[in-house]
């Protein structure tokens, strides 16, 4: 059912067969992204409504939403009258009096920039023409050196160009890019950080002002339709609580209750992780810190091209100490201890703008002023970084007070808090015996403190940067432990590859030196669309990538089922862990799914002793069986539901994002440097130039009504298409429907009526003889099926137009989702006779729902073709010959066609 309509009376989609209606809110928002006219109509109509209001100072956006109300602006909740059984209604409760904004619109940065342009002038900033701007863009994005640019400008091509360039050298081009005529990202600063223990080794911190960086992201107009300004509590029609975006968690709601009425909370989300710069030699590393905001919705944060993350700082790394130390143990361990102290001292400098903060007025992405309060609420990091941030030692739980020997205990432990960590640090210092001649803060004192702290489960940091955040100095206390996000990559997927897979291999594989049983079973799996076929098994993997792990998770349980020594309890333990992974990655949680997640976690803890009893959990060094599970990553899952309730679902908090940011903002910057001393300054300068170019590019797209963001998101979501000649179906119109509509033909309901799909413009097998199709695709009953089809259309026989068919061997389908909270997924479907690949599909028999298998039949896709009939004016939009099995007959394998 097409139930969302564009409000613009001049919408170009009104002339399409869909008459301006869209099936889902996602499609409507995509339409707004493509049509700037419709987007501006929505903004102006909202502004007109605001002018009619009579509130004297601030506009209150908060209210309680019920099934009969929609959200303002970019609503994505269906009203009760619009809902159906597959898309339940929701009740949204927003915090009363939260997120007020001033009624007078001051305008966005883009609108202010456009207002300064004189009539008849070009919009390319310091550049004279579009060609000159394109050259500058090419030079920055391809990391051209100044000498390379000089070489290009000295060629006859440049000197004889009909439009003389406004710069004659690479240095002149760089000055133009750094001029005030270009959009300016937050400025970079530097600070000398001196540790008391090594005053002769000052370290340089490169960073941006935190408030400037927040304002830059908060006021970015490209996020205007993807922002949340107030906390919400969402409930299904049944009354179940729903957890989805960051604003749906309890954390934002609690912080909102501690600030003055009308304040807009800006949740600060940080991500940090060390990364290598050199590939094989050199040992160069960087420690970037990234910033994003919880106001920005998670699908935008997850799309790297949307630039929702900002590089906030390069934290210095202490590699060695010049001082002579008294023994080898100190020489080995002291650099690590001082590195942690340096890390906290740098973060104290970065967070200094938040100390003693008051209400801070900022312009939002829609051009309205708001009184804001900035709060650190999430930090995405791997286990090593989490321990360092919290000031903890290794092999302890960051969320509760379980020590190393407690990690496999079934007992519950008290929650860890900022206060408890500070008390432990103070207890260590109080218990230390003062030694004559040892100055507080000296190398010897720090070493003694670190050794005592290690015994208390601490890392040796005495003054954590967050020490003031939950004290009397903070008006809004922050518990740093609750800030730590649950990392899907390192705490869900990597434990599967690091523990579950090798333990299972030790159990299942034969010991006679022959081929691995698991490798054999993986090779024998039938190739399927959307699933990786492990042609060579997995024994040869020396390092697991993120993609490798995810692909194996889909195949592993089926591969080991029925294997020798794969007992029922082993399968149950493996399935429990896989269920935990998939439930953890849900983009939409209810109390029911959280209960299932807790149940699967307990099930794994109950069944995992099978890895010991069958000899799977063995030491890599001695080969002896280990009869305990003192592994932090296998203890942490018991805390996962608390993290989801506090900050929303976990698909928006994974170090996968920071790993990808390393490529764009660190490794690319490193390649643009000369790889010598001072390379960080060169990297920062390149990042600054790129951000200026990207900001100007976004402005030009908005100004010229060319909006690439949503299109890029569609490409990112469907990366398995053919590429050449491919087009998206888009807003419910299909290639064949448009062709038929132009000729005035009658178009029957499509086979894929409730989904979008993508089809190449050019068929893979154009104008193929019908007889060859039957032979090639091995469908002997195809003629009979065609005759039956045309009988239902009151057509006698098979029309002559079907003598030759346009055939596709694959297409992409956008899988339906149960509600508007979840993002649709593209899936490639294949019928490729050369490779003997005919994908299995679910066929809607007419009354099926999005969730569950009732009303579906299971079939095998044999043929995809398209043929338009001039003679009968009937345009069938596709046909598939299926050998089908009803859902109830899967076990018996009875086929019927």
């Amino acid at each position: 059912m097409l139930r969302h309509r564009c409000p613009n009376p001049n919408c170009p989609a009104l002339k399409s067969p869909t008459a301006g209606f869209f099936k889902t809110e996602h499609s409507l928002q995509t339409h707004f992204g493509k049509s700037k006219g419709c987007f501006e109509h929505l903004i102006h109509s909202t502004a007109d409504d605001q002018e009619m209001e009579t509130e004297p100072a601030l506009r209150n956006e908060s209210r309680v939403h019920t099934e009969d109300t929609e959200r303002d602006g970019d609503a994505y909740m269906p009203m009760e009258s619009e809902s159906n059984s597959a898309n339940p209604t929701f009740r949204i409760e927003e915090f009363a009096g939260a997120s007020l904004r001033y009624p007078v619109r001051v305008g966005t940065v883009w609108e202010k920039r456009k207002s300064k342009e004189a009539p008849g002038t070009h919009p390319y900033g310091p550049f004279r023409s579009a060609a000159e701007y394109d050259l500058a863009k090419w030079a920055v994005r391809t990391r051209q050196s100044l000498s390379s640019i000089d070489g290009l400008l000295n060629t006859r091509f440049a000197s004889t160009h009909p439009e003389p360039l406004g710069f004659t050298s690479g240095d002149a081009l760089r000055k133009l890019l750094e001029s005030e005529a270009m959009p300016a990202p937050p400025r970079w600063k530097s600070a000398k950080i001196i540790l008391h223990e090594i005053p002769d080794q000052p370290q340089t911190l490169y960073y941006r002002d935190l408030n400037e960086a927040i304002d830059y992201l908060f006021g970015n107009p490209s996020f205007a339709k993807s922002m949340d300004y107030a906390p919400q509590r969402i409930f299904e029609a049944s009354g179940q609580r729903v957890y989805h975006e960051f604003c749906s968690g309890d954390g934002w709601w609690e912080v909102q209750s501690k600030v003055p009425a009308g304040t807009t909370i800006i949740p600060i989300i940080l991500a940090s992780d060390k990364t290598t710069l050199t590939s094989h030699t050199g040992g160069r590393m960087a420690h970037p810190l990234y910033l994003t905001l919880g106001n920005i919705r998670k699908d935008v944060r997850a799309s790297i091209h949307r630039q929702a993350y900002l590089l906030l700082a390069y934290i210095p790394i202490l590699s060695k100490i010049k001082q002579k130390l008294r023994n080898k143990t100190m020489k080995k361990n002291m650099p690590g201890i001082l590195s942690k102290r340096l890390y906290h001292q740098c973060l104290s400098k970065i967070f200094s703008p938040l100390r003693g903060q008051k209400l801070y007025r900022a312009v939002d992405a829609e051009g309205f002023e708001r009184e804001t309060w900035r709060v650190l609420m999430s930090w995405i990091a791997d286990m090593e970084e989490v321990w360092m941030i919290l000031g903890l030692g290794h092999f302890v739980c960051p969320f509760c007070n379980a020590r190393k020997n407690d990690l496999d205990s079934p007992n519950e432990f008290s929650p860890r808090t900022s206060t408890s960590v500070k008390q432990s640090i103070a207890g260590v210092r109080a218990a230390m015996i003062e030694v004559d001649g040892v100055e507080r803060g000296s190398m010897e004192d720090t070493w003694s403190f670190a050794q005592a702290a290690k015994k208390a489960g601490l890392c040796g940091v005495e003054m954590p940067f967050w020490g003031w955040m939950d004290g009397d100095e903070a008006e809004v206390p922050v518990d740093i432990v609750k800030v730590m996000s649950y990392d899907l990559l390192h705490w869900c997927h990597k434990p599967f590859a690091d523990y579950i897979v090798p333990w299972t291999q030790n159990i299942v594989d034969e010991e006679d030196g022959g081929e691995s049983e698991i490798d054999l079973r993986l090779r024998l799996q039938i190739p399927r669309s959307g699933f990786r076929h492990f042609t060579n098994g997995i024994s040869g993997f020396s390092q697991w990538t993120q993609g490798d792990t995810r692909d194996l998770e889909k195949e592993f349980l089926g591969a080991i089922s029925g294997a020798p020594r794969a007992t029922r309890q082993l399968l149950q333990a493996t399935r429990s862990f896989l269920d935990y992974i998939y439930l953890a990655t849900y983009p939409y949680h209810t109390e029911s799914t959280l209960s299932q997640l807790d149940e699967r976690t307990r099930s794994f803890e109950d069944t995992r002793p099978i890895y010991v009893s069958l000899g799977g959990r063995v030491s890599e060094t001695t080969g002896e069986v280990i009869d305990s599970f003192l592994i932090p990553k296998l203890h942490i899952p018991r805390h996962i539901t608390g993290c989801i309730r506090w900050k929303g679902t976990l698909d928006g908090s994974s170090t996968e994002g920071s790993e990808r940011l390393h490529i764009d903002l660190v490794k690319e910057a490193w390649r643009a440097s000369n790889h010598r001393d001072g390379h960080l300054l060169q990297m920062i300068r390149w990042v600054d130039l790129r951000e200026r170019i990207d900001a100007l590019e976004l402005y030009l797209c908005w100004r010229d009504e060319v909006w690439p963001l949503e299109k890029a998101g569609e490409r990112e979501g469907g990366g398995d298409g053919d590429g050449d000649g491919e087009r998206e179906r888009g807003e419910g119109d299909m290639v064949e429907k448009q062709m038929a509509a132009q000729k005035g033909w009658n178009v029957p309901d499509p086979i894929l009526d409730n989904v979008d799909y993508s089809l190449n413009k050019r068929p893979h097998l154009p104008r193929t003889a019908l007889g060859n199709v039957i032979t090639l695709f091995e469908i002997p009953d195809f003629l009979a099926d065609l005759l039956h089809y045309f009988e239902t259309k009151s057509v006698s026989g098979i029309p002559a137009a079907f003598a030759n068919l346009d055939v596709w061997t694959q297409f992409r389908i956008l899988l339906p989702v149960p509600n508007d909270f979840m993002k649709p997924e593209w899936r490639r479907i294949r019928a490729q006779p050369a490779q003997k690949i005919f994908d299995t599909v679910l066929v809607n028999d007419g009354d099926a729902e999005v969730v569950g298998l009732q009303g579906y039949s299971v079939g095998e896709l044999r043929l995809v073709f398209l043929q338009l009939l001039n003679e009968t004016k009937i345009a069938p939009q596709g046909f598939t010959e299926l050998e089908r099995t009803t859902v109830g007959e899967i076990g018996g394998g009875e086929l019927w066609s």
Side-chain angles (χ1 to χ4, degrees):
M1 179 185 297
L2 301 174
R3 53 187 177 83
H4 299 271
R5 190 170 191 177
C6 178
N8 184 8
N10 298 319
C11 175
L14 292 173
K15 301 177 183 179
S16 71
T18 60
F21 282 94
F22 303 91
K23 290 182 178 180
T24 64
E25 183 67 26
H26 174 77
S27 298
L28 180 59
Q29 295 302 326
T30 301
H31 167 72
F32 284 138
K34 294 179 178 178
S35 176
K36 186 171 178 290
C38 296
F39 175 79
E40 289 188 338
H41 174 83
L42 183 65
I43 293 297
H44 293 322
S45 62
T46 304
D48 292 341
D49 292 341
Q50 293 160 3
E51 292 175 1
M52 296 175 65
E53 298 182 5
T54 57
E55 296 180 15
L58 297 177
R59 179 171 181 264
N60 188 344
E61 296 178 323
S62 306
R63 58 177 177 272
V64 175
H65 295 271
T66 66
E67 292 89 346
D68 298 322
T69 62
E70 287 184 302
R71 290 182 63 184
D72 276 349
D74 52 340
Y76 58 91
M77 293 292 182
M79 295 192 300
E80 185 173 12
S81 59
E82 295 178 333
S83 66
N84 51 48
S85 58
N87 199 352
T89 57
F90 298 91
R91 177 173 63 86
I92 306 177
E93 178 186 347
E94 291 189 348
F95 194 101
S99 186
L100 309 183
R101 70 187 186 192
Y102 288 88
V104 179
R105 190 169 180 271
V106 298
T108 66
V109 290
W110 291 349
E111 292 167 334
K112 293 176 181 178
R113 182 179 181 87
K114 187 176 181 180
S115 66
K116 295 178 181 179
E117 294 179 4
T121 59
H122 61 76
Y124 303 107
F127 303 106
R128 296 178 179 179
S129 64
E132 191 171 300
Y133 163 68
D134 286 342
L135 177 59
K137 183 169 60 174
W138 166 82
V140 172
R141 290 183 174 173
T142 57
R143 310 186 308 274
Q144 298 298 316
S145 66
L146 296 182
S147 59
S148 298
I149 298 173
D150 290 341
L152 174 64
L153 296 177
N154 289 331
T155 61
R156 282 181 292 180
F157 173 79
S159 61
T160 59
H161 197 273
E163 296 183 9
L165 296 175
F167 49 88
T168 57
S169 66
D171 188 61
L173 171 60
R174 188 166 64 183
K175 289 180 179 179
L176 287 178
L177 289 168
E178 294 175 344
S179 67
E180 294 182 356
M182 289 289 290
R187 297 166 297 170
W188 282 90
K189 302 178 179 181
S190 65
K192 291 292 182 182
I193 307 297
I194 300 177
L195 293 177
H196 195 275
E197 298 85 351
I198 47 173
D200 58 336
Q201 285 185 251
Q203 304 294 315
T204 303
L205 167 68
Y206 296 101
Y207 69 104
R208 285 163 154 160
D209 181 84
L210 184 58
N211 280 326
E212 288 184 14
I214 291 172
D215 289 344
Y216 184 75
L217 291 174
F218 190 69
N220 190 331
S222 67
F223 305 145
K225 306 306 296 181
S226 304
M227 297 283 283
D228 292 307
Y229 297 107
Q232 299 174 342
R233 286 175 176 166
I234 307 172
F235 301 89
E236 288 184 343
S238 62
Q240 274 206 101
R241 178 79 180 273
V242 171
Y243 301 93
H244 178 53
E245 292 286 352
F246 198 93
C247 64
S248 66
D250 293 331
W252 193 337
W253 192 280
E254 181 176 308
V255 171
Q256 190 74 56
S257 66
K258 298 176 181 178
V259 297
T263 303
T264 299
I265 297 296
I266 300 183
I268 298 172
I269 300 177
L270 297 177
S272 59
D273 186 24
K274 285 184 182 179
T275 184
T276 57
L277 298 176
T278 51
S279 298
H280 301 290
T281 60
R284 299 271 191 166
M285 298 191 72
H287 199 159
L289 177 67
Y290 305 106
L291 167 74
T292 188
L293 306 179
N295 308 90
I296 305 171
R297 292 182 187 154
K298 60 183 180 180
D299 61 326
V300 176
R301 296 200 307 267
S303 299
I304 300 300
H305 72 278
R306 296 297 302 270
Q307 301 167 21
Y309 279 88
L310 191 69
L311 180 59
L312 184 63
Y314 279 121
I315 299 174
I317 299 174
L318 183 65
S319 57
K320 60 182 178 180
I321 299 175
K322 296 179 181 179
Q323 280 188 31
K324 290 185 177 180
L325 302 177
R326 58 183 171 86
N327 57 49
K328 292 182 178 180
T329 305
M330 283 185 68
K331 186 175 182 180
K332 176 182 178 182
N333 296 318
M334 205 63 195
I337 296 170
L338 295 185
S339 290
K340 294 180 176 66
R341 293 194 167 205
L342 173 65
Y343 181 85
H344 279 261
Q345 199 163 327
C346 290
L347 289 174
S348 295
K349 179 68 175 178
I350 293 170
F351 279 100
S352 59
L354 297 186
R355 299 191 73 163
Q357 72 164 319
K358 302 298 180 183
L359 287 179
Y360 192 102
R361 185 175 296 188
V363 179
D364 66 22
E366 297 178 3
F368 290 93
E369 289 185 314
R370 297 174 182 266
E371 297 291 348
T372 65
W373 193 276
R374 291 101 195 275
V375 183
L376 177 62
M377 291 192 67
S378 182
W379 200 310
I380 304 169
D382 61 15
M383 186 65 82
E384 292 284 338
E385 192 105 356
V386 167
W387 283 327
M388 183 166 61
I389 293 169
L390 296 180
L392 300 177
H394 289 185
F395 299 103
V396 300
C397 176
F399 298 109
C400 73
N401 288 309
R403 300 286 295 274
K404 179 178 180 179
N405 294 330
D406 304 322
L407 293 177
D408 61 354
S409 171
N411 299 329
E412 295 292 331
F413 297 88
S414 60
R416 193 182 300 276
T417 63
S418 297
T419 302
S420 67
V421 176
K422 289 193 295 183
Q423 289 174 347
S424 298
I425 294 174
V428 170
R429 172 54 71 180
M432 288 182 62
I433 301 175
E434 293 187 8
V435 178
D436 292 339
V438 177
E439 181 184 356
R440 178 77 174 266
S442 65
M443 189 75 75
E444 285 293 335
D445 178 72
T446 299
W447 174 253
S448 299
F449 178 86
Q451 298 310 300
K454 184 177 180 180
K455 297 176 182 178
L458 304 172
C459 71
V461 172
E462 191 169 0
M463 299 181 65
F465 73 91
W466 44 262
W468 61 272
M469 291 185 180
D470 68 338
D472 297 335
E473 185 179 347
E475 292 192 29
V476 180
V478 174
D479 187 344
I480 193 65
V481 175
K482 290 185 177 180
V483 167
M484 295 296 103
S485 292
Y486 199 95
D487 179 20
L488 288 177
L489 175 61
H490 290 91
W491 299 351
C492 285
H493 298 294
K494 285 189 70 65
F496 174 76
D498 293 342
Y499 307 125
I500 306 302
V501 172
W503 294 348
T504 307
Q505 284 179 302
N506 293 338
I507 296 170
V508 173
D509 287 350
E510 298 291 341
E511 299 180 358
D512 57 4
E515 181 180 8
S516 163
E517 178 71 18
I518 292 181
D519 285 353
L520 175 62
R521 287 172 168 269
L522 286 171
R523 286 197 299 106
L524 295 177
Q525 295 290 310
I526 299 174
R528 291 161 293 158
S529 176
F531 295 83
R532 176 176 173 181
H533 187 233
F534 289 87
T535 308
N536 299 317
I538 58 174
S539 296
F541 285 14
S542 59
Q543 185 174 359
W544 290 83
T545 66
Q546 301 170 23
D548 292 337
T549 305
R550 280 172 173 73
D551 292 336
L552 185 60
E553 288 166 359
K554 300 176 184 179
E555 299 281 351
F556 194 70
L557 185 60
I560 66 173
S561 297
R565 302 188 69 198
T567 65
R568 182 181 182 86
Q569 191 176 2
L570 177 64
L571 296 178
Q572 185 178 355
T574 305
R575 177 179 176 178
S576 296
F577 197 84
L578 288 171
D579 285 347
Y580 148 72
I581 292 175
Y582 283 117
L583 284 166
T585 57
Y586 271 17
Y588 168 94
H589 268 291
T590 65
E591 288 296 338
S592 175
T593 59
L594 292 180
S595 297
Q596 294 176 39
L597 185 51
D598 279 333
E599 191 277 328
R600 302 318 292 169
T601 301
R602 288 192 297 269
S603 175
F604 175 72
E605 291 184 355
D606 292 341
T607 56
R608 67 188 180 188
I610 192 65
Y611 294 111
V612 175
S613 60
L614 294 181
R617 173 145 165 69
V618 297
S619 170
E620 294 182 359
T621 55
T622 64
E624 297 179 354
V625 175
I626 302 174
D627 60 358
S628 63
F629 293 90
L630 304 179
I631 303 173
K633 292 180 181 179
L634 297 184
H635 166 87
I636 281 179
R638 63 175 62 183
H639 302 292
I640 186 172
T641 54
C643 294
I644 294 173
R645 289 187 176 97
W646 189 251
K647 287 179 284 195
T649 53
L650 303 178
D651 54 330
S653 61
S654 175
T655 50
E656 289 178 88
S658 57
E659 298 280 355
R660 184 65 182 84
L661 289 168
H662 288 340
I663 298 174
D664 283 3
L665 299 179
V666 180
K667 296 182 186 294
E668 287 290 308
W670 163 256
R671 296 184 186 108
S673 73
N674 62 9
H675 303 176
R676 300 174 183 172
D677 292 340
H679 62 274
L680 275 179
L681 281 174
Q682 298 174 17
M683 292 167 63
I684 287 169
R685 196 166 196 173
W686 180 84
V687 169
D688 180 76
L689 294 180
R690 175 171 166 171
E691 288 175 345
R692 290 168 179 265
I693 284 290
D694 290 343
L696 182 57
E697 180 77 1
L698 280 177
Y699 165 72
L700 293 175
C701 289
W702 168 81
R703 185 186 185 279
D704 299 335
E705 301 186 5
V706 179
W707 203 246
L709 301 180
E710 296 296 340
K711 290 182 180 179
E714 290 174 7
R715 290 196 300 270
E716 195 169 274
D720 54 2
D722 287 290
D724 184 31
E726 186 170 1
R727 67 178 297 279
E728 298 296 340
R729 179 184 174 196
E731 269 110 45
D733 61 321
M734 296 169 291
V735 177
E736 59 271 26
K737 176 172 281 192
Q738 290 180 341
M739 294 169 62
Q742 291 172 2
K743 297 180 179 295
W745 294 344
N746 174 41
V747 182
D749 292 335
I751 293 174
L752 305 176
D753 186 48
N754 63 332
V755 292
D756 287 342
Y757 66 85
S758 171
L759 200 65
N760 274 21
K761 286 183 179 179
R762 295 185 292 274
H764 302 102
L765 301 173
R767 308 302 298 162
T768 306
L770 181 58
N772 292 340
V773 169
I774 293 173
T775 302
L776 180 62
F777 287 83
E778 301 177 7
I779 42 177
D781 297 331
F782 185 44
L783 283 176
D785 289 327
L786 276 180
L787 284 170
H788 175 70
Y789 172 77
F790 285 111
E791 286 176 2
T792 63
K793 301 298 180 182
S794 301
V795 177
S796 177
I798 300 177
F802 275 74
N804 297 286
L805 301 178
D806 288 332
V807 177
W808 283 258
T809 58
Q810 68 177 23
F811 66 97
R812 290 191 302 145
I813 186 173
L814 189 65
L815 300 182
V817 293
N819 56 62
D820 290 333
F821 282 120
M822 303 181 72
K823 187 176 181 180
E825 176 187 354
W826 285 101
R827 180 67 58 83
R828 182 174 56 161
I829 311 297
R830 299 167 296 177
Q832 299 174 341
Q835 292 81 16
K836 299 296 183 183
I837 297 177
F838 298 96
D839 284 331
T840 302
V841 295
L842 289 176
V843 182
N844 188 340
D845 291 334
D847 57 352
E849 297 180 357
V850 175
V851 179
L853 294 177
Q854 288 297 326
Y856 287 97
S857 293
V858 179
E860 185 180 71
L861 183 67
R862 302 297 302 191
L863 177 67
V864 179
F865 72 96
L866 168 66
Q867 191 66 32
L868 300 179
L869 307 180
N870 291 300
E871 296 87 347
T872 60
K873 294 187 177 180
I874 296 176
Q877 298 176 1
F879 185 86
T880 54
E881 171 69 7
L882 301 175
E883 293 179 352
R884 299 186 295 180
T885 304
T886 62
V887 173
E889 296 168 338
I890 293 178
E894 180 181 351
L895 295 178
W896 60 281
S897 60

